[in-house]
Every structure is written in C-alpha cells, then in structure tokens.
Amino acid sequence: MSNNMAKIADARKTVEQLKLEVNIERMMVSKAAADLMAFCEAHAKEDPLVTPVPSSENPFREKKFFCAIL
Amino acid sequence: MRFSMNPEMATQEVQPSETLSNLKAESDSLKTKLEDERAKLHDVELHQVAEKVDGLGQFIMKTRRTLKGHGNKVLCMDWCKDKRRIVSSSQDGKVIVWDAFTTNKEHAVTMPCTWVMACAYAPSGCAVACGGLDNKCSVYPLSLDKNENLAAKKKSVAMHTNYLSACSFTNSDMQILTSSGDGTCALWDVESGQLLQSFHGHAADVLCLDLAPSETGNTFVSGGCDKKANVWDMRSGQCIQSFETHESDINSVRYYPSGDAFASGSDDATCRLYDLRADREVAIYSKESIIFGASSVDFSLSGRLLFGGYNDYTINVWDVLKGTRVSILFGHENRVSTLRVSPDGTAFCSGSWDHTLRIWA
C-alpha cells in the first residue's frame, strides 16, 4: 500500500513539474536565433580565436620560452 | 467519523491503481502539450537565420604546450582566473596545479581515492576543489610555501551517496555546487560544510553541470545519464526547464556566454544547442563520420565557436551559428575527457586518457 502511495506521490510531483514547464513564457526561434547571432557579432572582435590577434599578443603563441631560476 | 479526513486515506478507499494511471495519463498529455507549445515557436532553423553571417576565416590551431606528469588518465581540468594556472585531476588519485605558460607543476596532492572525476579552481585562485569515487568534494587551500603539505589542510565539504561527477565554485570561494552519481546536485557552504540546497529531478547519474554567467542570475544547468539536461533555480531548488532530445548520456553541458543558451555533448556522438528563451533545441552538431561520444564541450569567448572533445581522440571545432564543422584537431593518443577555454579566450586546454593535457592556440 505504502509503495503505491509513494508512486502516486511521485506521479503527482511529475504532473506538477510538467505543468510548470508547460506554462513558461517562450519566444520565437527566429527572435532567439537573431539574439544569439547579434551576441556573436558584437563580441567577435574580442574573441582571439575568431579574430586572430598577432602572435606577440597571444601568450601561448609567443616563441619565447620561459626559464625558472632555481 | 473515526478517520480524520486525510486526502491520502480518501485515495486509498477509491482505487490507488486507478489514480496512478490517471496521473500517468495526465503527465503524458502534459508532455504532448509541452511539445506542441515548443513546436509553435519553431518558425525557422538557426542555421537558416545564420546564412547571412560571414563565414569564419581559415582556422589554424595547434598544440602549443603539452603538460606531462599524470600517471594515468586525466579526467578533469579547470582554469584559474589568472588565465595561466590550471588544475587537473586523474584516475591515479593525483590533483596537480600547473603553470600553463611554463608547463611547471606548482602543487600536487594525492587524494585518498582513485578516479578523481571532478576538480575546480576557486575564483580567488587560492584553493582548489576535487572529488570522485570518495563520494565527497574536498577543498584544498593552495599554499605559497612549496614545502607545505597540502593534504593536511584539506576540508571535506560535500557528501553524496555515490561518486562525485562534477563540482564548481559559485561566484565566490564560499559556495560549491556539486553533481553526483546519486542522481542529485547540491549547493554547499564551504566553511561549514552545510548543505544549502539540493536539486532532485534526474532519474539517473548526473554527469555534469555548469553555472550561468553571473549577469544572468542564479541558475545552473545539469546533464545526466537519463539523457536530460535540466535548468535549475539555485535558490528554490526548482527545476525550471528540462530538455530531452539526446539519445544517450549527456557528458558535458556549457552555457553560451550570453547565458541565453547552453550546449551539450553526449555519448550519442552529437553536440546540441538549446536556447532557453525559445525553450527548445536549436542546433545539432553532428556528422555521419563522427560515431564516438562527445565527452566535453566549451565555447569560445564570443560564442561563435564550440569546441568538442570526443572519445575517438579528436577535437572537433564547430561554427555554432552555421552548424558546420570548422576544423578537426588531432594530437591526443586516447579519449579526450575534458576541455575548457581559457578565461581570456586566447587558448583552450584539453585533458585525455593518454595522461597528458594539451594547450591549443
């Protein structure tokens, strides 16, 4: 009996959770996609992997090697 | 009345199995409604909208540093905010802090367990958190004194009932978010070890998590073996949105830099992009030739590129908007298990079952 009650409690929780998820506000994919694109374009210049910076400014691409003085 | 009016008792008298099947029918119809509501907004594909965007230029990235020192599979890594230090953890129980510029090891700790599947750098750079098969997340303050025994200062913070799969500090050193094979995520106070909030909803092991960028507020996303990616409200513990389009375990989740979307990598050999405001999957990054699971994903700074580490030893670089593959990077000699872009976006680090970490730029 109590196992069944536990299942019912779980099923109720699932129903409540789904009701919450169904009722959220959503926007059209076209608008959401446009916003994603706008963000990419706005930040493209600051992204060193999209807009390459000169090797001297990328610490990993520099030819210098570091030595630790022991 | 001999019995107090208790809804549970009333149900017992009716027919419990009938009520259960009613609830099941209701949940099925709600699931259909959810799909219908989501489909109504699906007016266009992301890659169609992105047709007018310029293609990316020639893409050249190479291994610039190789970090050698782990004695077994590297399972996890994280960058320090100083953009040069890295913490990594391995199957042999070792957690190492490296200077990625010089490849020098700065600290090393041996955990009391093997398979340290999770590690994270504290925002201050003064501590690291790690855990795995010990079911715990422990925090080690990093000492400037190289001779000091780090293990002595260890603080146990989180306790789960199964392995720790991922951990992350929130925006301060004071709180840690964890995910576990026990199917839950949890938020902990580091100082007291107190559980602040727990997150229940996954039906199987939770494998990964990522916190929303701080500007977007208090949410995080988790992915699990139940093929679901869940978005949670950190304060209430409530699951706000749930996405179930992957066909297998979700190994990695990462927010898009604006916080409006997140990417996932899965054993079904695909990476996918989910937009939170459209409440649906908006892109799939896959190719017929890619048949091995994606273990780890991360975005470049602008969100234009998605790097995916795969179980076939390669790293695929995707154009997030157009949905096409920009490049494939070879170098590791075994599965890529972990991948993170550096805080300033100049490079990314990958860790592998081949015992090494590589810095690519």
Side-chain angles (χ1 to χ4, degrees), chain A residues 23-69:
Chain A
N23 289 326
I24 66 165
E25 271 186 43
R26 298 179 180 82
M27 76 167 50
M28 299 298 282
V29 175
S30 48
K31 168 89 174 65
D35 285 352
L36 291 176
M37 272 173 48
F39 187 90
C40 279
E41 288 188 65
H43 292 83
K45 291 217 170 51
E46 304 154 15
D47 187 339
L49 300 176
V50 168
T51 310
V53 293
S55 285
S56 52
E57 281 178 37
N58 185 328
F60 291 106
R61 285 192 187 170
E62 272 180 356
K63 296 289 189 200
K64 271 198 292 187
F65 286 95
F66 295 85
C67 293
I69 301 191

Side-chain angles (χ1 to χ4, degrees), chain B residues 41-86:
Chain B
L41 303 150
H42 191 196
D43 55 342
V44 79
E45 297 288 348
L46 173 60
H47 64 83
Q48 288 171 306
V49 175
E51 263 160 31
K52 46 186 156 128
V53 174
D54 285 339
L56 291 163
Q58 208 194 5
F59 194 81
I60 304 175
M61 276 187 97
K62 294 198 284 193
T63 301
R64 305 288 174 171
R65 304 281 192 280
T66 304
L67 305 180
K68 294 188 190 177
H70 277 295
N72 213 320
K73 307 177 173 63
V74 176
L75 302 175
C76 189
M77 59 82 37
D78 190 18
W79 287 89
C80 178
K81 285 207 160 83
D82 71 0
K83 313 159 216 166
R84 70 184 278 172
R85 282 177 181 76
I86 282 179

Side-chain angles (χ1 to χ4, degrees), chain B residues 160-361:
Chain B
H160 278 280
T161 54
N162 208 327
Y163 64 90
L164 188 83
S165 54
C167 63
S168 174
F169 285 86
T170 59
N171 51 18
S172 81
D173 284 20
M174 304 283 82
Q175 292 181 356
I176 284 191
L177 193 57
T178 58
S179 65
S180 168
D182 67 14
T184 71
C185 298
L187 181 65
W188 310 82
D189 177 272
V190 172
E191 193 54 48
S192 63
Q194 198 191 351
L195 173 67
L196 298 171
Q197 185 60 262
S198 67
F199 305 89
H200 297 259
H202 278 287
D205 305 22
V206 187
L207 297 179
C208 52
L209 61 83
D210 191 35
L211 273 135
S214 36
E215 310 79 51
T216 2
N218 290 331
T219 61
F220 74 95
V221 60
S222 64
C225 291
D226 57 357
K227 312 177 205 168
K228 282 197 192 168
N230 290 340
V231 180
W232 307 87
D233 178 318
M234 274 168 69
R235 269 173 274 190
S236 67
Q238 185 78 46
C239 173
I240 315 172
Q241 286 168 278
S242 184
F243 303 90
E244 197 176 351
T245 61
H246 271 294
E247 295 167 18
S248 187
D249 299 0
I250 298 180
N251 298 314
S252 176
V253 285
R254 193 75 69 214
Y255 269 93
Y256 184 78
S258 70
D260 290 333
F262 69 90
S264 58
S266 163
D267 274 351
D268 68 7
T270 70
C271 297
R272 296 179 196 230
L273 186 69
Y274 298 89
D275 188 291
L276 294 170
R277 293 174 312 158
D279 188 39
R280 60 172 298 123
E281 175 193 289
V282 293
I284 305 184
Y285 308 101
S286 67
K287 273 179 114 62
E288 271 186 37
S289 53
I290 302 176
I291 56 173
F292 284 82
S295 63
S296 191
V297 296
D298 201 0
F299 286 100
S300 70
L301 222 58
S302 65
R304 182 66 191 270
L305 299 168
L306 181 69
F307 298 97
Y310 288 74
N311 292 342
D312 63 2
Y313 315 176
T314 68
I315 294 163
N316 287 300
V317 187
W318 302 92
D319 180 326
V320 169
L321 301 178
K322 293 189 184 278
T324 52
R325 181 171 65 184
V326 168
S327 185
I328 177 169
L329 303 174
F330 299 97
H332 278 298
E333 295 167 14
N334 206 321
R335 289 193 189 192
V336 178
S337 53
T338 179
L339 188 157
R340 298 294 294 256
V341 172
S342 72
D344 62 355
T346 51
F348 74 85
C349 178
S350 59
S352 163
W353 281 17
D354 69 8
H355 309 187
T356 70
L357 294 116
R358 284 172 182 247
I359 313 282
W360 306 77

